[in-house]
Amino acid sequence: MRQPEVSISDIARIAGVSHTTVSRALRESPLISTETRERIQRLAGELGYTPNAIARSLQTKQTSTVGLVVTSIADPFFSDIVKGVEAVARASDFSVLLSASYNDPEQTLDIIETFHRRRVDGILVASSRISDNYGRRLHHTHIPTVLINSQVEGQANLLHWISVDDRRGAQMAVEHLLQLGHRAIGYLGSHSRPASNSQRHQGYLDALRAAGVEPLPSWVVTPPGDEASQEEDISAGQQALAPFLAAGVTAVFCYNDMIAIGMLASCHAKGVRVPQDLSVIGFDDITIASCVTPPLTTIHQPRVELGRLATQVMLDLLQDRPGADHTLCPTLVQRASTAPLST
């Protein structure tokens, strides 16, 4: 049979003090002498006392929990975001409830509703595709909500957000290829991430046009898809090689690293040498990007910092401090999948 849990009353009885004295000692109250506080805390540890989070939340009106919604727990992009969220949350004695939406807006709403019912203190949503109407509803619930790399345009005025400068990152990728002598540069996009895909496509166009290059329609490929999954990304990269080769491009900027890895796999299978025949660059700098053959040149996103900043903004809002929105700058990571244009 399950043993009854040790309560504050049990500690008070054994220590010969009042319930209030034990409660204050466990909360590090300065009203209790250091000697008594240490004695009670030592006794609580020996008895195996565990604070009742539910009872404490009724007193403090807070549960010390954060709800985090990600697209997929299998996506390596989100693992570092979670790491950043947990680092800041734990330092403030908050727990993190994690759930995956699998890029389904309705599922995202269901998860947020569940978090709300569980009375989480704040909500973080990564790569959200929730509608403007629900954004307004979240705004009026008074639960601090912060979006990380939101995939819906127009929510910046309703909710706080943390994002990477997708447009600038794309410009950096294409400028790198231009510096290597490439002019016929393709863009392989992602239909399932509409907001960031739009920004990266625009950055691609900006860089080419600034160099006096007007891209052909055949240089841009955006495969259909709504999952935003690794499997979908890899398949997109594999299937897009043929149209790019037919279009005569000498380099391809891929929406993300997983798509680029799919393209590398297709190049290997079809005897296309990277980077001698085709330069390939990704976006994200996930861990595996440095392990593939050839190691992938990419745009680094500060994913841990995205998670850290989003959680800090949420904690600031909980303390009635003004929350700040942040746009982080990505950086170029040069590896072996890009090279000067062969003449």
Side-chain angles (χ1 to χ4, degrees):
M1 292 181 63
R2 181 181 177 184
Q3 296 294 321
E5 294 185 359
V6 176
S7 67
I8 288 180
S9 296
D10 296 329
I11 299 171
R13 186 182 70 255
I14 296 172
V17 298
S18 69
H19 185 285
T20 300
T21 297
V22 173
S23 179
R24 287 174 173 170
L26 295 177
R27 295 200 311 270
E28 302 282 352
S29 170
L31 298 175
I32 306 300
S33 70
T34 301
E35 180 182 353
T36 300
R37 190 164 65 243
E38 291 178 349
R39 180 170 67 89
I40 290 174
Q41 290 176 353
R42 184 167 57 251
L43 178 59
E46 292 171 354
L47 294 173
Y49 170 73
T50 301
N52 188 320
I54 297 175
R56 179 171 293 180
S57 69
L58 291 174
Q59 293 177 338
T60 64
K61 307 301 182 183
Q62 286 191 340
T63 60
S64 294
T65 55
V66 179
L68 172 59
V69 188
V70 299
T71 300
S72 169
I73 57 175
D75 190 326
F77 176 83
F78 294 109
S79 61
D80 281 337
I81 288 181
V82 173
K83 186 185 299 182
V85 169
E86 289 198 323
V88 174
R90 286 177 179 174
S92 299
D93 293 325
F94 274 70
S95 299
V96 179
L97 301 180
L98 176 65
S99 192
S101 66
Y102 301 102
N103 211 42
D104 182 343
E106 291 301 319
Q107 182 88 336
T108 301
L109 301 186
D110 289 344
I111 293 168
I112 291 173
E113 292 284 6
T114 299
F115 284 160
H116 193 186
R117 288 195 298 271
R118 289 180 175 271
R119 295 297 185 265
V120 299
D121 297 318
I123 296 174
L124 306 173
V125 187
S127 298
S128 163
R129 293 184 67 188
I130 57 179
S131 67
D132 282 352
N133 287 337
Y134 201 83
R136 293 186 182 91
R137 182 174 172 183
L138 277 175
H139 175 66
H140 292 299
T141 63
H142 303 296
I143 298 177
T145 302
V146 182
L147 306 178
I148 304 172
N149 281 0
S150 173
Q151 292 301 320
V152 177
E153 304 275 11
Q155 290 184 351
N157 295 327
L158 297 172
L159 303 170
H160 287 285
W161 51 267
I162 311 293
S163 66
V164 164
D165 192 337
D166 287 301
R167 187 167 179 172
R168 180 64 192 127
Q171 289 174 327
M172 294 167 66
V174 177
E175 286 167 358
H176 168 67
L177 296 172
L178 288 165
Q179 289 168 4
L180 293 173
H182 297 278
R183 291 295 180 270
I185 300 170
Y187 173 63
L188 178 49
S190 172
H191 182 268
S192 55
R193 289 102 165 177
S196 55
N197 181 69
S198 174
Q199 288 297 305
R200 293 179 195 182
H201 180 225
Q202 189 58 55
Y204 158 84
L205 295 175
D206 292 343
L208 285 180
R209 288 169 179 165
V213 178
E214 185 59 36
L216 300 177
S218 59
W219 292 2
V220 177
V221 176
T222 305
D226 293 302
E227 296 178 8
S229 65
Q230 293 182 79
E231 294 79 8
E232 182 179 87
D233 288 343
I234 292 173
S235 177
Q238 291 173 326
Q239 295 176 17
L241 178 61
F244 278 128
L245 293 178
V249 301
T250 62
V252 178
F253 163 45
C254 298
Y255 169 87
N256 67 16
D257 289 348
M258 293 307 297
I259 291 176
I261 289 169
M263 177 156 286
L264 291 181
S266 185
C267 286
H268 178 75
K270 296 181 179 180
V272 177
R273 299 172 302 162
V274 176
Q276 296 91 334
D277 301 328
L278 184 71
S279 284
V280 178
I281 185 169
F283 199 115
D284 286 347
D285 193 27
I286 58 176
T287 302
I288 197 174
S290 63
C291 304
V292 294
T293 302
L296 184 66
T297 297
T298 186
I299 300 298
H300 173 79
Q301 287 208 61
R303 299 180 300 280
V304 174
E305 188 62 16
L306 281 169
R308 286 180 180 276
L309 273 175
T311 310
Q312 189 57 60
V313 169
M314 189 213 68
L315 293 175
D316 287 342
L317 294 171
L318 282 173
Q319 297 299 320
D320 293 324
R321 295 193 293 265
D325 301 324
H326 297 272
T327 300
L328 304 184
C329 187
T331 53
L332 173 69
V333 179
Q334 296 186 49
R335 297 195 179 101
S337 66
T338 54
L341 177 65
S342 299
T343 56

